[in-house]
Amino acid sequence: VNAIIKENPIFIINTGDLVESGLSQDDYQKFFEIERDLLRNSCLFPTVGNHEITDPTLTLYKKFFFPPTSSSNDKLFYSFDVSNIHIAVLNSYDGLLGFSNTQLKWLEDDLSNAKNNPKTDHIFTVMHHGPYSASNHGDNSIAKSKVVPILKKYGVDMTFAGHDHNYERGEADGLRYMVAGGGGAPLYSSGESQYTIYSEKALHYVVFNIYGPDVSGCAYRVDGSIMECFNWSKGNALPDAGFDDTFIDDIQSKDTIINDIQEINDLSSDTSNLPQDSNIEDTPALEDIFYLDTDEIKDIKDIEITDTIAFTDTGYDSSSGMDYSISKPDSETQKQSEYSGCSCLFIE
């Protein structure tokens, strides 16, 4: 919890098993004592886990949690939108076989609406016992047969799960999945399957960053060190130093970018419409903007990039500025997973 607070998240998803026993009010009290400082500033979206289901009526869960019910009229499975993201949260323990026909019909309609919404770029789903896992509990055959076809039909970006107490990210039949079950319970061995891209036995949390069509993120151990990072794009990737696919040698339209930057340089040299005391420096060289070789800076902890140019509605304003810093993690060297395929820097 203390590590997540430092990330200052917009919202949090818990993948289930919030308490040891869903019948124990003391357990729920302990949960809120631990999460109190985090929940003061960030909204939590819960998922029903098998430990909550020790109370089949989920009386206490329903008493303490108020997820949005406008889409489903049900606290146990629901969906919500944040900016260009749609997230559907499922109940893996709904009915004798895990997913009732009512829930599956709702899921189909919900994802169809999201897919057809021009404002939605990314769709994620959450369920406690997910379809794929190489750890103790393994795959969920019911989720694989009943839920996965719906997720694939509507182009879900990734499905999240808990249940197994470890971290795992993989891809099965074109569907990205993640197991994030390292929130505090005793850990399980990680394991690997034919679908696994990365797995680790560790207490952890995962941070996602969404920039338009681009998704990036990293899984962190509780000491802040990186387990692995990942990224993908639903369109043309935004040029950002944190993305591996924006290295200059790989940019398909670099001639266009060079022309754009030349135009910026030409414009910056024309100060006729600016106050006499203004001073606009030339744009940095292209390679300084789009290329950063992390292999050459393994022993450097921080790189500061400062842009002292700011614009307002009325024109150039030299009295204010914008500071940007690209920082490496606190560790002396940057860990790069052989599976991740990405060199990760973090923009604060």
Side-chain angles (χ1 to χ4, degrees):
V1 168
N2 291 334
I4 295 172
I5 288 174
K6 295 177 182 178
E7 302 288 349
N8 192 29
I10 297 175
F11 66 92
I12 309 150
I13 295 174
N14 188 305
T15 56
D17 284 355
L18 295 88
V19 293
E20 175 70 20
S21 171
L23 289 166
S24 172
Q25 182 151 320
D26 289 342
D27 282 2
Y28 278 106
Q29 176 65 29
K30 188 66 175 178
F31 172 85
F32 286 111
E33 288 175 0
I34 293 171
E35 307 254 345
R36 176 181 57 191
D37 292 341
L38 176 62
L39 299 183
R40 281 175 173 161
N41 298 308
S42 299
C43 183
L44 171 70
F45 293 93
T47 309
V48 173
N50 55 292
H51 281 263
E52 283 76 60
I53 285 292
T54 54
D55 172 16
T57 66
L58 289 164
T59 300
L60 292 176
Y61 178 90
K62 294 176 181 178
K63 175 181 177 181
F64 294 129
F65 295 99
F66 299 88
T69 58
S70 57
S71 67
S72 64
N73 296 317
D74 195 315
K75 285 189 174 185
L76 307 184
F77 55 88
Y78 59 94
S79 66
F80 61 98
D81 295 298
V82 178
S83 187
N84 63 337
I85 310 163
H86 181 80
I87 300 176
V89 181
L90 308 180
N91 175 12
S92 303
Y93 308 96
D94 179 22
L96 293 176
L97 298 179
F99 298 92
S100 66
N101 290 334
T102 298
Q103 183 177 189
L104 293 174
K105 175 63 168 59
W106 168 83
L107 177 64
E108 177 106 25
D109 293 342
D110 182 76
L111 297 187
S112 175
N113 291 335
K115 182 72 172 179
N116 293 323
N117 185 347
K119 296 181 180 180
T120 301
D121 292 324
H122 308 282
I123 303 175
F124 298 93
T125 59
V126 190
M127 65 194 86
H128 181 64
H129 190 184
Y132 307 105
S133 174
S135 189
N136 289 24
H137 292 298
D139 292 355
N140 182 339
S141 60
I142 302 300
K144 287 169 66 175
S145 64
K146 291 184 175 291
V147 179
V148 166
I150 301 175
L151 307 189
K152 293 174 63 178
K153 178 179 179 180
Y154 295 104
V156 168
D157 289 53
M158 178 178 276
T159 186
F160 307 125
H163 204 40
D164 274 325
H165 303 170
N166 69 302
Y167 173 80
E168 181 180 344
R169 181 175 67 88
E171 185 171 324
D173 302 321
L175 177 64
R176 300 181 188 92
Y177 73 89
M178 177 178 291
V179 178
L187 296 170
Y188 298 165
S189 59
S190 55
E192 291 186 4
S193 73
Q194 60 179 320
Y195 307 126
T196 306
I197 296 174
Y198 184 91
S199 65
E200 185 172 330
K201 175 183 178 180
L203 297 175
H204 66 273
Y205 62 96
V206 186
V207 177
F208 275 79
N209 302 284
I210 312 293
Y211 298 97
D214 300 329
V215 178
S216 66
C218 290
Y220 296 89
R221 303 177 189 90
V222 291
D223 63 2
S225 60
I226 301 170
M227 291 195 287
E228 67 137 5
C229 296
F230 49 85
N231 66 71
W232 68 84
S233 180
K234 301 296 284 290
N236 295 321
L238 299 176
D240 183 304
F243 290 90
D244 189 56
D245 53 7
T246 58
F247 283 5
I248 188 64
D249 290 338
D250 298 329
I251 295 178
Q252 299 297 318
S253 57
K254 63 181 179 182
D255 291 338
T256 301
I257 296 172
I258 290 171
N259 292 336
D260 289 345
I261 289 184
Q262 183 59 51
E263 183 178 349
I264 293 172
N265 280 331
D266 293 342
L267 289 173
S268 68
S269 63
D270 180 9
T271 59
S272 59
N273 296 322
L274 300 176
Q276 293 301 311
D277 60 349
S278 63
N279 179 24
I280 299 182
E281 299 178 355
D282 287 345
T283 305
L286 178 64
E287 60 267 26
D288 292 336
I289 298 176
F290 292 101
Y291 181 76
L292 189 57
D293 187 351
T294 56
D295 291 332
E296 295 180 4
I297 59 168
K298 286 185 177 179
D299 295 326
I300 300 176
K301 279 195 173 184
D302 295 285
I303 299 172
E304 295 291 335
I305 297 177
T306 302
D307 181 353
T308 57
I309 300 171
F311 290 88
T312 67
D313 293 338
T314 57
Y316 177 72
D317 179 8
S318 60
S319 65
S320 64
M322 296 179 290
D323 294 331
Y324 300 92
S325 66
I326 297 178
S327 302
K328 288 176 67 62
D330 292 336
S331 58
E332 289 294 331
T333 59
Q334 177 181 350
K335 177 179 175 61
Q336 295 186 35
S337 163
E338 61 180 307
Y339 302 104
S340 69
C342 93
S343 303
C344 297
L345 294 174
F346 300 91
I347 298 178
E348 295 179 340

